[in-house]
């Protein structure tokens, strides 16, 4: 044992954050290699030739890609803080909510920010419904994982920081304390958790990414890196 | 004694197929409850209130939904056949390829069938690339799982059986022996596995089903149930 860990990532990306927070929850030492997504490194392309995306976890010489796949790998290989539950049903339940976040919440909130008119109204309505459903899952607990951070919390990280910044940049008020008091309370708990604090990007970094690219992202409905 | 394992599904759905094959591989006694997706049962709505979709696995009154999550649950909850590999890195790879199938292969192929003109050309290009990449993963093995079928083979069940049917109805020849000899050989081997054979509908019936709905599917780009 004792193979090196390297994480190819980008601080502005919540996907990169997911992988990083999992490493920190396990108390692991790793090297963070910052990728410029407008000029992807040869190493990134070598280790993720199919998708050419971050994050990429390099464990020794072995690359693992896709943020949730990386998080589950870290949980299965390393001892310490359990990220997924042990019980098969609870694991299935955690994976269900991870998927709900990535397939419903995230795309709907994203499109709510980057569309207008009737299209935007429709996305906002969908996002509101999904956020309410997700909030219901908290059931008054500190984290989705109970007393400590688990898979669902990690997968929901955008809601703790990134969405707030993005909606401010575009002038939307979707995720707010009046409408989602529990989710906002959870967001604060998440941001203040030790392992998270150590690797959360500064707000200004995220603003610095979105603000100057606002029009181009609006046109493309997708991130623009250059 | 009432079965403690129930699967709500349809024989025509490749997603339901994944769950069914997983149960058959583990030799689990289960009751198959056929859903009419044009008239969803109260049971389906009760056990999957958020998405209202099949497959739904009900095990001791707890419900598990989303086909790949169901397969992982079946792998973890029941003894016997190993659907996922025991090595964490191999497991991460299996999860990656299942995701690739769901996010790249299937959507591109589906849209290739139900679009025309320049749009169709675009989707066909994407589908061809994705199929080539998928085929390369077989690397001389009988199945993606090695000597016996595993997680990725189940995820690719739609490729093995449904793709041929869809392209026939749509009048295109995308997945053919000339262009994808290894993938087509794999498809035959996959469909010959006992647990798979038992869960497949008669091909003629599925062709007739899709053919009868062709115009509606072309218009909506989505499956049609009524």
């Amino acid at each position: 044992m004792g193979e090196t860990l390297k994480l190819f990532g980008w601080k502005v990306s919540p996907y990169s954050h997911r992988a990083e927070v999992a490493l920190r929850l396990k108390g692991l030492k790793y090297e963070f290699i910052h990728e410029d997504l407008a000029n992807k490194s040869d190493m990134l392309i070598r280790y993720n030739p199919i998708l050419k995306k971050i994050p990429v976890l390099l464990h020794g010489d072995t690359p693992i890609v896709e943020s949730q796949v990386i998080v589950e790998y870290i949980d299965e290989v390393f001892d310490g803080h359990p990220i997924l539950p042990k019980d098969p049903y609870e694991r299935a339940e955690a994976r269900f909510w991870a998927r709900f976040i990535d397939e419903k919440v995230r795309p709907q909130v994203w499109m709510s920010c980057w569309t207008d008119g009737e299209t935007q109204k429709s996305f906002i309505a969908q996002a509101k419904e999904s956020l309410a459903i997700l909030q219901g899952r908290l059931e008054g607990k500190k984290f989705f994982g109970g007393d400590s951070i688990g898979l669902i919390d990690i997968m929901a990280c955008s809601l703790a920081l990134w969405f707030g910044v993005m909606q401010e940049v575009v002038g939307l008020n979707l995720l707010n304390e009046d409408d989602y008091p529990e989710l906002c309370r959870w967001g604060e708990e998440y941001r203040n958790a030790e392992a998270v604090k150590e690797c959360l990007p500064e707000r200004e970094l995220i603003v610095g990414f979105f603000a100057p690219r606002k029009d181009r992202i609006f046109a493309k409905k997708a991130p623009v890196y250059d | 004694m009432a079965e403690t394992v129930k699967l709500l599904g349809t024989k025509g759905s490749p997603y339901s197929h994944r769950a069914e094959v997983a149960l058959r591989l583990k030799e689990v006694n289960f009751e198959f409850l056929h859903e009419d997706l044009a008239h969803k049962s109260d049971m389906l709505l009760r056990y999957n209130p958020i998405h209202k979709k099949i497959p739904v696995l009900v095990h001791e009154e707890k419900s598990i939904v989303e086909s790949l999550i169901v397969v992982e649950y079946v792998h973890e909850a029941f003894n016997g056949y190993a659907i996922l590999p025991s090595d964490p890195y191999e497991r991460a790879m299996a999860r990656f390829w299942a995701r690739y199938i769901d996010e790249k292969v299937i959507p591109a192929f589906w849209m290739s069938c139900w679009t025309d003109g320049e749009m169709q050309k675009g989707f066909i290009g994407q589908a061809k690339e994705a199929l080539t990449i998928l085929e390369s993963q077989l690397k001389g093995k009988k199945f993606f799982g090695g000597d016996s079928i595993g997680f990725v083979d189940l995820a690719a069940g739609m490729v093995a059986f449904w793709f041929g049917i869809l392209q026939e109805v749509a009048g295109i020849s995308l997945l053919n022996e000339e262009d994808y000899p290894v993938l087509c050989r794999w498809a035959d081997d996959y469909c010959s596995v006992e647990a798979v054979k038992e869960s497949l509908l008669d091909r003629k019936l599925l062709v007739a089903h899709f053919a009868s709905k062709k115009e509606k599917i072309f218009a909506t780009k989505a499956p049609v149930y009524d």
Side-chain angles (χ1 to χ4, degrees):
Chain A
M1 262 324 199
E3 284 183 326
T4 55
L5 286 163
K6 292 188 184 162
L7 181 66
F8 293 82
W10 180 45
K11 288 291 189 181
V12 177
S13 161
Y15 301 102
S16 177
H17 169 81
R18 289 170 177 176
E20 205 177 357
V21 80
L23 290 167
R24 288 198 177 263
L25 282 166
K26 296 282 190 185
L28 296 165
K29 286 202 177 352
Y30 62 97
E31 184 189 346
F32 187 94
I33 297 165
H34 182 271
E35 276 292 325
D36 172 4
L37 296 182
N39 294 296
K40 291 175 183 176
S41 72
D42 291 340
M43 266 206 294
L44 174 63
I45 295 173
R46 180 162 93 236
Y47 289 123
N48 190 0
I50 293 171
L51 300 173
K52 305 179 181 59
K53 286 171 155 184
I54 54 93
V56 177
L57 178 71
L58 199 61
H59 187 194
D61 290 322
T62 305
I64 300 102
V65 308
E66 293 290 292
S67 63
Q68 188 179 339
V69 176
I70 293 172
V71 172
E72 293 212 37
Y73 174 81
I74 290 168
D75 194 43
E76 289 172 10
V77 171
F78 300 101
D79 293 329
H81 183 113
I83 295 174
L84 272 101
K86 290 266 172 288
D87 173 71
Y89 174 71
E90 289 174 31
R91 290 163 72 81
E93 203 258 354
R95 288 173 178 140
F96 169 86
W97 287 104
R99 196 175 261 261
F100 183 77
I101 288 162
D102 265 358
E103 290 184 3
K104 300 284 178 195
V105 181
R106 287 188 44 83
Q108 288 161 358
V109 174
W110 174 271
M111 291 302 270
S112 295
C113 288
W114 304 108
T115 51
D116 56 10
E118 287 309 307
T119 312
Q120 185 186 36
K121 281 199 186 130
S122 168
F123 280 120
I124 287 174
Q126 291 174 50
K128 284 186 163 200
E129 189 183 331
S130 297
L131 285 167
I133 290 172
L134 183 63
Q135 182 170 250
R137 171 59 179 73
L138 266 170
E139 298 160 337
K141 289 177 288 181
K142 188 176 182 187
F143 296 111
F144 289 100
D147 295 325
S148 57
I149 289 177
L151 179 73
I152 306 172
D153 302 278
I154 296 174
M155 296 299 283
C157 66
S158 315
L159 297 176
L161 178 65
W162 284 261
F163 281 167
V165 174
M166 206 168 67
Q167 67 179 6
E168 211 174 285
V169 167
V170 301
L172 193 66
N173 183 22
L174 181 51
L175 179 60
N176 59 66
E177 270 192 55
D178 282 337
D179 297 332
Y180 302 100
E182 275 296 290
L183 267 181
C184 291
R185 193 263 314 146
W186 164 84
E188 201 175 325
E189 295 278 13
Y190 182 83
R191 286 190 301 275
N192 289 328
E194 207 55 49
V196 173
K197 261 198 303 206
E198 293 165 0
C199 61
L200 208 59
E202 295 290 331
R203 257 187 132 262
E204 289 66 40
L205 192 68
I206 305 172
V207 175
F209 171 75
F210 281 108
R213 295 173 175 80
K214 205 169 140 182
D215 295 330
R216 286 192 290 155
I217 297 176
F218 190 91
K220 201 176 162 197
K221 314 295 179 219
V224 170
Y225 300 113
D226 54 355
Chain B
M1 184 171 67
E3 291 296 352
T4 57
V5 182
K6 300 187 209 293
L7 179 66
L8 282 72
T10 70
K11 288 294 192 181
S13 159
Y15 301 100
S16 177
H17 168 81
R18 291 169 173 175
E20 191 181 348
V21 175
L23 288 167
R24 290 188 182 281
L25 286 169
K26 291 281 194 183
E27 297 180 344
V28 174
N29 278 329
F30 68 99
E31 187 185 353
F32 190 101
L33 297 170
H34 186 273
E35 276 291 323
D36 172 2
L37 295 178
H39 301 97
K40 292 176 180 176
S41 72
D42 291 339
M43 201 177 174
L44 175 61
L45 299 176
R46 184 167 85 242
Y47 283 121
N48 191 359
I50 292 175
H51 299 305
K52 307 177 179 60
K53 286 172 152 181
I54 53 93
V56 178
L57 181 71
V58 182
H59 184 200
E60 288 160 357
E61 290 305 300
K62 290 182 291 204
S63 63
I64 301 98
V65 306
E66 300 288 305
S67 62
L68 293 177
I69 294 176
V70 172
V71 175
E72 286 224 48
Y73 175 81
V74 170
H75 167 75
E76 291 172 6
F78 299 98
N79 293 326
Y81 195 99
I83 300 173
L84 274 103
S86 53
D87 173 70
Y89 172 68
E90 297 297 328
R91 260 205 307 281
M93 283 290 96
R95 288 174 181 143
F96 170 82
W97 285 107
R99 219 170 244 267
Y100 185 79
I101 287 162
D102 264 359
E103 292 177 11
K104 303 284 177 196
V105 179
I106 291 175
F109 193 95
W110 176 265
M111 292 302 274
S112 297
C113 291
W114 311 115
T115 50
D116 55 12
E118 284 309 306
M119 270 198 90
Q120 186 184 39
K121 282 198 186 131
F123 284 120
I124 287 176
Q126 290 175 37
K128 285 186 164 199
E129 188 185 331
L131 286 168
T132 301
I133 288 171
L134 182 65
E135 185 178 56
S136 73
Q137 284 313 296
L138 275 165
K139 294 191 261 241
K141 293 177 292 179
K142 186 173 185 191
F143 299 111
F144 292 102
D147 295 326
S148 50
I149 62 173
F151 193 60
V152 180
D153 299 277
L154 266 65
M158 189 175 179
V159 178
F161 190 67
W162 278 261
F163 274 17
I165 291 166
L166 291 174
Q167 68 183 11
E168 191 180 307
V169 169
I172 60 171
S173 171
L174 194 40
L175 177 61
N176 56 65
E177 271 191 51
E178 205 182 310
D179 297 330
Y180 301 99
V182 177
L183 203 51
C184 288
R185 189 271 309 149
W186 162 84
D188 283 341
D189 285 340
Y190 176 80
C191 292
S192 304
V193 170
E194 208 52 50
V196 171
K197 265 200 302 207
E198 290 168 356
S199 65
L200 287 177
L201 200 59
D202 187 276
R203 198 182 185 279
K204 290 195 288 293
L205 283 173
L206 261 186
V207 171
H209 164 79
F210 280 106
S212 71
K213 308 250 180 278
K214 195 173 159 181
E215 270 80 46
K216 273 195 192 174
I217 300 177
F218 194 94
T220 62
K221 316 294 180 220
V224 170
Y225 302 117
D226 53 359

